[in-house]
Amino acid sequence: MSGGPPKALPSTGPHSLRDMPHPLAGSSSEEAVGGDSTPSPDLLMARSFGDKDLILPNGGTPVGTSSPASSSSLLNRLQLDDDLDGETRDLFVTVDDPKKHVCTMETYITYRITTKSTRVEFDLPEYSVRRRYQDFDWLRNKLEESQPTHLIPPLPEKFVVKGVVDRFSEEFVETRRKALDKFLKRITDHPVLSFNEHFNVFLTAKDLNAYKKQGMALLTRVGESVKHVTGGYKLRSRPLEFAAIGEYLDMFALKLGTIDRIAQRIIKEEIEYLVELREYGPVYSTWSALEGELAEPLEGVSACIGNCSTALEELTDDMTEDFLPVLREYILYSDSMKVRKCAVLSPCQAPHFGIAESSHHCGCGSVLKKRDQVQAEYEAKLEAVALRKEDRPKVPADVEKCQDRMECFNADLKADMERWQNNKRQDFRQLLMGMADKNIQYYEKCLMAWESIIPLLQEKQEAK
Amino acid sequence: MEQAPPDPERRLQPAPLEPLGHPDAGLEAVVGEEVEGARDEGSGDGTMTENNFWLKKIEISVSEAEKRTGRNAMNMQETYTAYLIETRSVEHIDGQSVLTDSLWRRYSEFELLRNYLLVYYPHVVVPPLPEKRAEFVWHKLSADNMDPDFVERRRIGLENFLLRVASHPILCRDKIFYLFLTQEGNWKETVNETGFQLKRVADRLYGVYKVHGNYGRVFSEWSAIEKEMGDGLQSAGHHMDVYASSIDDILEDEEHYADQLKEYLFYAEALRAVCRKHELMQYDLEMAAQDLASKKQQCEELATGTVRTFSLKGMTTKLFGQETPEQREARIKVLEEQINEGEQQLKSKNLEGREFVKNAWADIERFKEQKNRDLKEALISYAVMQISMCKKGIQVWTNAKECFSKM
């Protein structure tokens, strides 16, 4: 199932693949992974990830945290320190400060987007704008349109599936905010997407709606051409590596789904255990009130169980807030990349399928599929030429164009896939280590509680 | 050895029975004090701080009775009557009372309280409870515990019982009595509850561990499609399996602890058995004393010729004529013999009773020491077990984390 090692194709971005910093680099304090990781891991990681807002001096490691911690802090981290990644990191975007707006027609939430950049594409070094989900949706569509050969990160789901969830609840808004932040950060770290015009406008424009109305789709050359690729060409065979990618993604999505279910189940079981624990502890207190010599030990046991209950609650909260959302994003990500045709929307074969429909991010407009289409068209045209049996020395211009398109597409996609794979590896390492960490902390808290009452239990009663 | 003061609360004991309870009351009083001291150690400073409450005036009432159905120890449906106990403290100067506690108790709980008091205050005559069974309802044919008249009479009886205990200078300070009025559970129930809750907790914990086992499988499957991440995932999965299977040992230990708790309950049962025996002996003694008293009375009347007690012989004599002096002498002689016998019996029963109390008391003290020791050990092993579980957990997750770091 593994394809060949990725070749270093001429890249489409300003930096070569090898020099590219990991979008989420710095999550590992251990080895630098081959040549893929950021040049200065020491400077980037080992922060106090528990303190989201804490900005630590360069390379400082807070006492006690020798390991990367939760991914939520990773999501929320704002690197203001310019020294740390000098040459490569010159754009920082953060999503925060959700606010509720109540208007006559509707109620909605906006988020503050803060941008700091030294890039020439930005007139000012710093921007702060407010955007709502709709705007993010618009951005994503525009990106898909204008950069059809690239993997666009997923957005959190637009609609709340579980009808009972309140979309203005603190929990929901916070989860969404983190996901939106992640979305923008992924784009920020992409060598091509981060320079996209629409992205720029999204980050900087005071009045986004006016811009939207202009409908100025500034497409790249490739984008323009891909947009007009019609469907209906049958692909003979996919190149090995893309076939491998497709198969991998299918399997990966399956496994992720399973892991998501397991994680949710574990949290559910833990919560039920917590409920029982919270009833169990006080019974010892009641009992203690009825005893003489044993009153103190029993009371101690009760308090101990109480402490363990609290520790467990912290564990379940952390897992719900930090672990599940990261899984969710990857599920959405891999879903948006799959080749399989989407069952939701029928006009998959629409001529201008580059123009994304509303807000569903399924496999329908998937990049892999588009790539297949481009290749199919090229091959068909090539065949048509060959069949004409003309004795031409060179290939007609339009076929050449097709070939061009296909090769660009392949290159972009390959580069993105490699980047995606690297990120995925980093993210999951981070995520799973975080999960292990949280469990370790839980057991350590419980251990401390129980160890502290041993002396109390062993205490000899003085003759009274 | 000091003599206990004459107890104003004498019931079922007609006046002539002065000797009962006194000559060796000192022994009992000493034993009693020890008990009190031992019992108060839990409260820390002699008298319960809550019992200072009793220095204020309180009103206790058994205000309501209610029919209830529930499940008994054999898990069978049963119907019983519950009684509402309300406690009011008379706080304000104008005598207005404030309801401070109210809870429901059934007859068997009153019994338990009385038995407890009997054991812990053997020198005190504990007020009696109303009848357990509706044996004798004058104007009704059935002996029904649900009979409204019976219930009403019982309600009054229970109220009197509580009032008497509350007004007794020693009994009123008892912690268990206080809890009886203020706290729904008693220690036997509580210990039972601990056992049940422990089982529920263990079941849930089992679920948590076992679901983690699924990670093992899925990580293994996932690792098959990964290049660099594969090894880390695979070995981490193995640790998840280890984690999931570790719960089996843990639960075995928890069951052992639950068994130890159950054994502790046997102590409670033993205590009740002793109380019951003591009550029976007490009853026996009182019957014998009554009998003796009535015989003495008869004898006196025969000797003096006055009829104060009702006797069949007396009646028939009145109806069918006087008896001869010889007959009377004979009867007196018989009675005197019986009285002698009776007095002997009473003496020996008395002695028996005191012996019993002394031994039973020693037994109970021993039980208590043993129980406390055993329970402490059980708690320590429980804590040790928890510690071991935590350490295992830390170990497994540290291993898993190590594997994840190699991903």
Side-chain angles (χ1 to χ4, degrees):
Chain A
M1 270 211 219
S2 53
K7 292 192 295 195
L9 296 163
S11 75
T12 49
H15 300 278
S16 92
L17 200 63
R18 297 266 148 197
D19 291 339
M20 206 50 55
H22 274 301
L24 300 162
S27 51
S28 162
S29 55
E30 279 87 25
E31 85 282 318
V33 183
D36 299 347
S37 66
T38 186
S40 49
D42 296 318
L43 295 172
L44 278 178
M45 47 52 218
R47 308 239 151 199
S48 170
F49 289 130
D51 308 1
K52 294 170 189 177
D53 303 317
L54 193 66
I55 296 158
L56 295 174
N58 233 352
T61 310
V63 176
T65 50
S66 56
S67 56
S70 79
S71 28
S72 75
S73 45
L74 191 64
L75 291 174
N76 296 311
R77 184 170 46 132
L78 175 63
Q79 299 296 346
L80 297 177
D81 201 338
D82 289 329
D83 286 355
L84 53 86
D85 204 15
E87 62 279 3
T88 42
R89 196 171 281 279
D90 57 0
L91 172 65
F92 303 88
V93 179
T94 316
V95 179
D96 64 3
D97 192 34
K99 273 202 183 7
K100 195 162 160 182
H101 299 255
V102 184
C103 309
T104 38
M105 292 298 286
E106 54 174 348
T107 307
Y108 59 90
I109 307 265
T110 63
Y111 305 85
R112 179 178 65 185
I113 321 292
T114 312
T115 310
K116 287 180 165 61
S117 177
T118 53
R119 291 187 182 178
V120 293
E121 289 80 3
F122 293 90
D123 296 330
L124 301 172
E126 193 169 325
Y127 291 89
S128 177
V129 296
R130 294 221 136 239
R131 298 282 179 250
R132 57 186 288 192
Y133 183 91
Q134 248 177 30
D135 303 328
F136 284 84
D137 200 25
W138 168 88
L139 173 63
R140 193 178 187 279
N141 291 336
K142 280 288 180 244
L143 285 174
E144 271 194 324
E145 236 179 70
S146 55
Q147 318 270 186
T149 59
H150 287 285
L151 289 177
I152 315 294
L155 271 180
E157 283 123 337
K158 185 179 180 85
F159 301 110
V160 178
V161 181
K162 302 170 193 175
V164 200
V165 177
D166 172 22
R167 59 194 181 98
F168 297 116
S169 77
E170 224 177 89
E171 209 180 299
F172 178 79
V173 171
E174 176 59 17
T175 307
R176 191 175 251 200
R177 184 199 64 76
K178 282 199 258 205
L180 293 175
D181 184 81
K182 182 92 192 181
F183 170 72
L184 289 185
K185 283 193 162 66
R186 285 207 191 274
I187 298 173
T188 305
D189 295 326
H190 194 287
V192 176
L193 294 179
S194 63
F195 287 92
N196 185 281
E197 169 93 11
H198 301 296
F199 185 51
N200 190 305
V201 173
F202 177 89
L203 292 177
T204 60
K206 278 293 164 215
D207 184 0
L208 190 63
N209 287 326
Y211 177 79
K212 283 188 201 177
K213 287 198 182 95
Q214 282 173 39
M216 293 188 44
L218 204 74
L219 301 174
T220 61
R221 173 178 62 83
V222 177
E224 185 68 48
S225 56
V226 170
K227 188 172 157 189
H228 294 301
V229 169
T230 53
Y233 291 102
K234 269 281 189 291
L235 180 70
R236 211 87 38 89
S237 69
R238 217 175 277 126
L240 254 172
E241 53 201 341
F242 292 108
I245 287 172
E247 275 171 39
Y248 169 82
L249 286 174
D250 283 346
M251 190 58 133
F252 178 69
L254 265 176
K255 295 304 138 195
L256 264 198
T258 307
I259 292 175
D260 183 49
R261 275 193 301 280
I262 295 172
Q264 289 195 39
R265 179 67 190 277
I266 287 177
I267 290 173
K268 176 170 169 287
E269 294 284 336
E270 281 175 347
I271 288 175
E272 288 179 359
Y273 173 52
L274 180 65
V275 166
E276 295 296 342
L277 266 190
R278 288 235 181 263
E279 280 183 33
Y280 180 51
V283 178
Y284 280 97
S285 256
T286 312
W287 184 2
S288 149
L290 304 167
E291 287 283 348
E293 193 183 321
L294 292 173
E296 247 183 75
L298 286 172
E299 190 58 54
V301 171
S302 177
C304 192
I305 294 171
N307 288 338
C308 292
S309 306
T310 307
L312 181 60
E313 195 168 23
E314 284 165 14
L315 175 64
T316 55
D317 282 346
D318 280 348
M319 290 299 284
T320 307
E321 284 164 21
D322 302 339
F323 187 83
L324 291 182
V326 176
L327 271 186
R328 181 119 299 268
E329 200 237 357
Y330 265 94
I331 290 172
L332 288 171
Y333 219 153
S334 60
D335 273 355
S336 78
M337 285 156 49
K338 281 193 288 188
V339 184
R340 236 176 287 132
K341 200 157 82 174
C342 131
V344 174
L345 216 60
S346 49
C348 299
Q349 305 290 51
H352 304 287
F353 61 72
I355 299 168
E357 300 295 323
S358 67
S359 61
H360 74 96
H361 304 293
C362 63
C364 170
S366 99
V367 182
L368 283 177
K369 188 123 182 289
K370 283 188 228 156
R371 192 217 66 83
D372 284 354
Q373 295 287 356
V374 170
Q375 180 182 335
E377 191 190 356
Y378 166 65
E379 285 175 349
K381 290 204 169 142
L382 195 63
E383 206 175 287
V385 168
L387 284 174
R388 270 186 266 151
K389 280 193 203 145
E390 280 171 26
D391 202 20
R392 294 221 184 174
K394 65 179 173 131
V395 176
D398 69 328
V399 178
E400 236 177 54
K401 248 203 225 158
C402 268
Q403 187 183 17
D404 204 20
R405 262 207 298 269
M406 183 188 77
E407 282 175 357
C408 265
F409 210 141
N410 288 353
D412 286 348
L413 200 54
K414 245 204 191 122
D416 276 5
M417 273 312 299
E418 204 176 299
R419 175 176 300 107
W420 183 86
Q421 286 282 12
N422 280 325
N423 289 348
K424 175 210 79 187
R425 188 176 169 191
Q426 291 283 8
D427 287 348
F428 275 96
R429 185 194 304 160
Q430 178 95 3
L431 183 71
L432 293 169
M433 284 177 78
M435 171 175 88
D437 239 348
K438 292 191 183 73
N439 276 282
I440 291 171
Q441 283 167 28
Y442 160 69
Y443 279 114
E444 280 178 348
K445 286 178 201 159
C446 290
L447 180 65
M448 207 164 71
W450 285 105
E451 278 182 339
S452 71
I453 65 152
I454 291 277
L456 181 69
L457 293 175
Q458 285 173 335
E459 207 173 69
K460 298 223 188 302
Q461 293 286 316
E462 291 94 51
K464 294 203 182 174
Chain B
M1 273 222 251
E2 45 181 283
Q3 301 268 331
D7 201 315
E9 293 290 285
R10 287 180 171 261
R11 302 259 297 163
L12 301 180
Q13 290 163 21
L17 276 181
E18 286 293 297
L20 178 70
H22 267 304
D24 288 353
L27 171 68
E28 286 156 17
V30 168
V31 172
E33 241 124 46
E34 264 178 58
V35 170
E36 201 163 306
R39 205 181 4 86
D40 278 346
E41 80 201 11
S43 58
D45 46 23
T47 327
M48 286 284 296
T49 42
E50 291 123 338
N51 277 353
N52 290 333
F53 178 65
W54 297 132
L55 300 179
K56 305 186 197 134
K57 278 209 272 178
I58 55 142
E59 292 168 3
I60 308 174
S61 62
V62 178
S63 47
E64 278 169 43
E66 199 177 83
K67 205 150 126 180
R68 295 220 179 138
T69 46
R71 290 208 172 271
N72 66 10
M74 248 81 75
N75 208 32
M76 295 191 331
Q77 279 270 8
E78 57 168 6
T79 319
Y80 61 90
T81 312
Y83 301 88
L84 178 64
I85 305 173
E86 289 180 313
T87 315
R88 292 181 150 73
S89 81
V90 186
E91 284 182 348
H92 309 283
I93 306 161
D94 56 6
Q96 281 208 336
S97 66
V98 174
L99 180 67
T100 49
D101 285 285
S102 82
L103 41 65
W104 292 85
R105 293 265 184 232
R106 52 185 293 188
Y107 184 87
S108 58
E109 294 179 275
F110 280 86
E111 268 190 312
L112 199 62
L113 173 67
R114 186 165 188 276
N115 288 338
Y116 159 84
L117 292 174
L118 282 172
V119 171
Y120 275 84
Y121 303 92
H123 63 292
V124 167
V125 181
V126 179
L129 281 176
E131 295 157 335
K132 189 174 175 75
R133 306 238 169 277
E135 274 150 2
F136 210 25
V137 184
W138 283 99
H139 51 285
K140 292 192 182 144
L141 294 172
S142 58
D144 174 21
N145 275 13
M146 296 292 137
D147 178 78
D149 277 345
F150 174 75
V151 167
E152 177 59 17
R153 281 192 5 241
R154 194 187 244 195
R155 185 192 66 73
I156 295 170
L158 292 175
E159 191 174 276
N160 283 339
F161 168 74
L162 289 179
L163 287 171
R164 287 210 174 91
V165 173
S167 61
H168 191 283
I170 299 171
L171 294 181
C172 73
R173 288 165 181 269
D174 184 83
K175 187 171 168 183
I176 296 291
F177 174 56
Y178 173 75
L179 289 172
F180 182 86
L181 293 174
T182 59
Q183 195 174 294
E184 293 268 8
N186 63 37
W187 42 262
K188 180 166 180 263
E189 272 174 21
T190 306
V191 177
N192 238 341
E193 203 185 320
T194 309
F196 290 141
Q197 199 57 36
L198 182 63
K199 174 97 197 344
R200 279 201 281 269
V201 164
D203 285 343
R204 288 278 161 233
L205 188 61
Y206 184 81
V208 172
Y209 272 76
K210 283 301 174 195
V211 181
H212 275 91
N214 290 314
Y215 273 145
R217 203 189 64 242
V218 78
F219 283 168
S220 179
E221 290 167 4
W222 182 11
S223 73
I225 61 170
E226 294 290 344
K227 288 178 282 186
E228 301 125 328
M229 287 166 64
D231 290 337
L233 273 176
Q234 181 81 26
S235 43
H238 161 71
H239 291 297
M240 290 293 100
D241 286 332
V242 168
Y243 182 66
S245 58
S246 68
I247 188 67
D248 296 312
D249 290 334
I250 292 167
L251 284 190
E252 232 179 82
D253 290 337
E254 293 230 359
E255 263 184 47
H256 180 59
Y257 172 65
D259 287 339
Q260 286 176 307
L261 284 184
K262 279 198 204 115
E263 272 189 41
Y264 170 59
L265 287 177
F266 292 149
Y267 163 73
E269 278 310 310
L271 202 65
R272 293 181 94 197
V274 167
C275 291
R276 254 175 274 136
K277 176 138 192 237
H278 182 226
E279 251 194 63
L280 279 172
M281 291 185 76
Q282 193 88 338
Y283 183 75
D284 210 21
L285 192 70
E286 281 160 10
M287 284 297 107
Q290 249 182 31
D291 194 48
L292 185 67
S294 112
K295 286 203 161 67
K296 282 191 175 169
Q297 187 88 1
Q298 277 181 50
C299 201
E300 193 196 307
E301 284 166 14
L302 276 176
T304 59
T306 58
V307 182
R308 266 192 282 143
T309 56
F310 175 81
S311 79
L312 198 57
K313 199 69 181 139
M315 258 346 252
T316 52
T317 309
K318 275 209 145 90
L319 290 171
F320 302 112
Q322 292 269 352
E323 55 182 354
T324 64
E326 294 84 21
Q327 281 173 321
R328 194 159 13 119
E329 280 302 322
R331 273 214 291 139
I332 289 174
K333 215 176 182 107
V334 166
L335 275 174
E336 278 179 347
E337 266 174 43
Q338 285 179 339
I339 286 169
N340 252 333
E341 251 178 66
E343 278 179 341
Q344 291 298 335
Q345 255 190 16
L346 200 63
K347 258 208 193 96
S348 70
K349 276 203 160 80
N350 230 331
L351 210 67
E352 226 182 280
R354 284 197 294 274
E355 269 302 307
F356 174 81
V357 168
K358 198 166 74 180
N359 292 333
W361 194 249
D363 254 356
I364 284 165
E365 276 297 303
R366 224 172 352 110
F367 262 133
K368 190 165 124 181
E369 293 292 309
Q370 189 68 44
K371 161 209 110 180
N372 282 346
R373 256 202 311 273
D374 288 348
L375 212 58
K376 250 199 181 166
E377 280 201 29
L379 287 176
I380 290 174
S381 357
Y382 185 60
V384 165
M385 182 194 86
Q386 294 290 330
I387 287 171
S388 144
M389 181 175 99
C390 289
K391 285 191 174 154
K392 277 196 201 139
I394 291 173
Q395 185 66 54
V396 164
W397 282 105
T398 306
N399 290 341
K401 184 176 165 187
E402 170 100 25
C403 296
F404 290 139
S405 75
K406 298 205 175 91
M407 261 166 57

